[in-house]
């Protein structure tokens, strides 16, 4: 991936300023952070560095352990995020909060090979690269610690990214990389804070304009803690690919909201069938039951997936559900109004229905973000 030469990165020539910021997103990693810190201390001897742990308010108190380290070593910093979740958002905040010209992202689960960091720094320092990726899928690299299911999913996602988004690196799903911070800041406004595939987002957004080098490393086995990946990562990935295909005209969150709405349509029809055909309820009542069941399922899925970084808990769930009912009820009127208006201008039923449905989902998305899952 070639890029026309530009001015070099800012330097860290002043005494005491770090040359490298290592950004570590964490969630329930209290058993790993001290081990990782000691490894960084050993491998980065001779390089001025800092480490920024970005913790999503871990229930196990990871942030307390990091603060303990920070009290002993000023190179350690802790960003504790309240009410926000997600690896991509954590990486973005950590890099933008860093003070060095080079920023590395590495997991706290000890599966990445921190001994490759000096080599990465050297490649950025020399100007050969603006982005260095730790790759499992080039000669010398390995992902043998993956089980068969995860290996297959990773290979499939990599192939989709390379073919659909024209990403030219061998391991776009890697979570281990280093980038010039000034180049990252140019791309940051276009990156999604949702999801887990921050490197894929960076490479796809750059559209081949980042000088990139991949170096091999062996992906290790997790020793402690829990994986930050969950069963919804696949949908996050699909949403990110679709967002990049539309050149970010629509956001990843909107696409997830729309996908949940599509599931809700199926739920509505199933509930309608059961109420009307199985229990012989009048159509109007069956339709109302179907709508209520669909809205409820949509709320649950959106709270679990689309807005998981702002997930409602406790009493807030009931309040949010009632607000969601209200928002979707108004959205239904907007749906019908737009559909009738379009049908009067052009009596094509499917076009009118599509226009109404689009209006409905846009309204529901906008109002849900404003009233139901508003940032606090």
């Amino acid at each position: 991936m070639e890029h026309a030469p530009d001015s070099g990165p800012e330097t860290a020539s002043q005494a005491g300023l770090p040359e490298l910021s290592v950004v570590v997103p964490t969630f329930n990693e209290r058993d790993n952070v001290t081990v990782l810190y000691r490894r960084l201390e050993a491998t980065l001897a001779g390089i001025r560095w800092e480490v920024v742990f970005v913790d999503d308010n871990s229930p196990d108190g990871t942030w307390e352990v990091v603060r303990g380290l920070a009290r002993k070593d000023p190179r350690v910093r802790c960003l504790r995020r309240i009410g926000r979740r997600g690896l991509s958002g954590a990486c973005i905040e950590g890099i933008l909060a860093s003070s060095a010209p080079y920023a590395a992202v590495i997991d706290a689960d000890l599966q990445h090979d921190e001994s490759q960091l000096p080599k990465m720094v050297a490649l950025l320092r020399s100007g050969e690269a603006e982005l260095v990726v730790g790759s499992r899928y080039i000669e010398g690299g390995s992902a043998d610690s993956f089980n068969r299911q995860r290996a297959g999913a990773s290979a499939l996602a990599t192939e989709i990214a390379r073919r659909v988004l024209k990403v030219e690196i061998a391991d776009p799903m890697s979570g281990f990389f280093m980038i010039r911070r000034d180049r990252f800041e140019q791309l940051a406004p276009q990156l999604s804070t949702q999801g887990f595939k921050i490197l894929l987002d960076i490479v796809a957004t750059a559209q081949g304009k980042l000088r990139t080098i991949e170096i091999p490393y062996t992906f290790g086995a997790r020793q402690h803690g829990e994986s930050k990946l969950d069963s919804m990562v696949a949908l996050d990935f699909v949403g990110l690919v679709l967002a990049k295909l539309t050149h970010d005209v629509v956001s990843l969150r909107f696409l997830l909201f729309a996908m949940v709405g599509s599931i809700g349509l199926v739920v509505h029809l199933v509930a309608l069938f059961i109420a009307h055909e199985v229990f012989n309820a009048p159509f109007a009542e069956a339709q109302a039951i179907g709508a209520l069941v669909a809205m409820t399922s949509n709320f649950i899925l959106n709270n679990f997936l689309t807005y998981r970084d702002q997930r409602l808990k406790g009493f807030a769930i009931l309040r949010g559900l009632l607000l969601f009912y209200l928002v979707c009820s108004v959205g239904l009127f907007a749906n019908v109004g737009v559909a009738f208006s379009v049908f009067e201008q052009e009596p094509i039923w499917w076009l009118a229905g599509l226009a109404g449905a689009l209006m409905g989902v846009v309204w529901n998305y906008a109002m849900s973000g404003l009233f139901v899952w508003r940032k606090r």
Side-chain angles (χ1 to χ4, degrees):
M1 296 184 178
E2 294 300 325
H3 171 62
D6 60 355
S7 58
E10 58 193 88
T11 62
S13 56
Q14 293 175 278
L17 289 181
E19 181 180 25
L20 171 65
S21 293
V22 181
V23 175
V24 187
T26 60
F27 186 73
N28 287 344
E29 303 279 7
R30 66 174 297 126
D31 294 327
N32 295 336
V33 291
T34 301
V35 177
L36 178 60
Y37 162 72
R38 297 299 181 197
R39 290 184 180 183
L40 292 175
E41 193 175 36
T43 198
L44 294 176
I47 297 175
R48 294 187 304 276
W49 60 280
E50 66 174 359
V51 57
V52 182
F53 291 94
V54 186
D55 186 69
D56 286 355
N57 198 30
S58 296
D60 74 347
T62 299
W63 49 274
E64 293 179 309
V65 178
V66 174
R67 284 181 179 172
L69 292 172
R71 282 192 287 268
K72 299 175 183 178
D73 188 340
R75 295 175 299 182
V76 180
R77 297 168 56 196
C78 177
L79 292 181
R80 181 186 176 191
R81 306 201 305 169
I82 305 292
R84 301 193 302 285
R85 288 284 300 274
L87 189 144
S88 290
C91 292
I92 291 170
E93 289 188 38
I95 294 175
L96 293 180
S98 66
S99 57
Y102 310 129
V105 171
I106 187 171
D107 282 352
D109 54 20
L110 309 178
Q111 292 178 291
H112 295 155
D113 183 2
E114 74 286 339
S115 69
Q116 300 300 315
L117 291 172
K119 184 186 301 184
M120 292 175 159
V121 169
L123 289 169
L124 294 183
R125 189 189 288 154
S126 69
E128 293 179 65
E130 297 168 316
L131 170 67
V132 182
V133 177
S135 178
R136 300 159 293 184
Y137 303 131
I138 61 175
E139 185 176 356
S142 170
D144 290 343
S145 63
F146 277 175
N147 58 37
R148 182 176 299 179
Q149 181 181 3
R150 189 172 177 187
S154 179
L156 176 61
T158 297
E159 190 63 20
I160 291 173
R162 296 180 67 182
R163 289 182 179 273
V164 177
L165 298 180
K166 309 302 181 185
V167 170
E168 297 179 7
I169 62 176
D171 193 0
M173 315 307 289
S174 176
F176 180 35
F177 62 91
M178 188 181 295
I179 189 170
R180 274 176 38 176
R181 203 188 78 240
D182 59 338
R183 297 291 285 123
F184 180 84
E185 288 181 344
Q186 293 169 2
L187 300 171
Q190 302 171 64
L191 301 178
S192 171
T193 58
Q194 283 81 54
F196 291 80
K197 300 306 177 185
I198 180 66
L199 176 63
L200 174 60
D201 199 359
I202 290 171
V203 175
T205 300
Q207 298 180 335
K209 297 178 182 177
L210 276 176
R211 292 194 300 274
T212 303
I213 292 177
E214 292 183 85
I215 62 172
Y217 85 101
T218 298
F219 191 78
R222 168 175 278 275
Q223 298 186 26
H224 305 286
E226 62 185 53
S227 174
K228 290 176 282 296
L229 305 181
D230 59 30
S231 58
M232 295 301 172
V233 170
L235 281 179
D236 274 342
F237 172 73
V238 172
L240 177 60
V241 170
L242 292 175
K244 291 307 169 185
L245 282 176
T246 64
H247 301 287
D248 297 305
V249 172
V250 291
S251 70
L252 170 58
R253 199 190 294 277
F254 176 79
L255 287 165
L256 292 174
F257 190 91
M259 282 191 284
V260 167
S262 299
I263 296 171
L265 176 60
V266 176
V267 171
H268 181 116
L269 293 175
V270 171
L272 172 61
F273 174 81
I274 293 173
H276 185 57
E277 297 296 327
V278 178
F279 291 97
N280 298 315
F283 179 80
E285 294 179 14
Q287 176 73 347
I289 291 171
L292 187 65
V293 171
M295 285 190 289
T296 304
S297 71
N298 282 2
F299 173 80
I300 293 171
L301 286 175
N302 278 316
N303 194 50
F304 183 65
L305 170 63
T306 311
Y307 294 96
R308 63 180 164 187
D309 57 326
Q310 299 164 230
R311 190 173 293 164
L312 302 177
K313 299 178 180 179
F315 181 75
I317 293 178
L318 178 58
R319 177 180 176 276
L321 178 60
L322 295 176
L323 284 172
F324 191 72
Y325 285 156
L326 179 61
V327 164
C328 290
S329 296
V330 177
L332 179 61
F333 284 110
N335 181 330
V336 173
V338 169
F340 269 112
S341 177
V342 171
F343 192 78
E344 286 178 356
Q345 300 295 321
E346 192 69 44
I348 303 174
W349 67 268
W350 62 266
L351 180 62
L354 182 62
L358 181 59
M359 180 63 215
V361 73
V362 170
W363 170 271
N364 291 342
Y365 173 71
M367 294 301 104
S368 292
L370 189 60
F371 293 109
V372 183
W373 288 280
R374 65 181 183 276
K375 289 189 176 181
R376 295 173 293 280

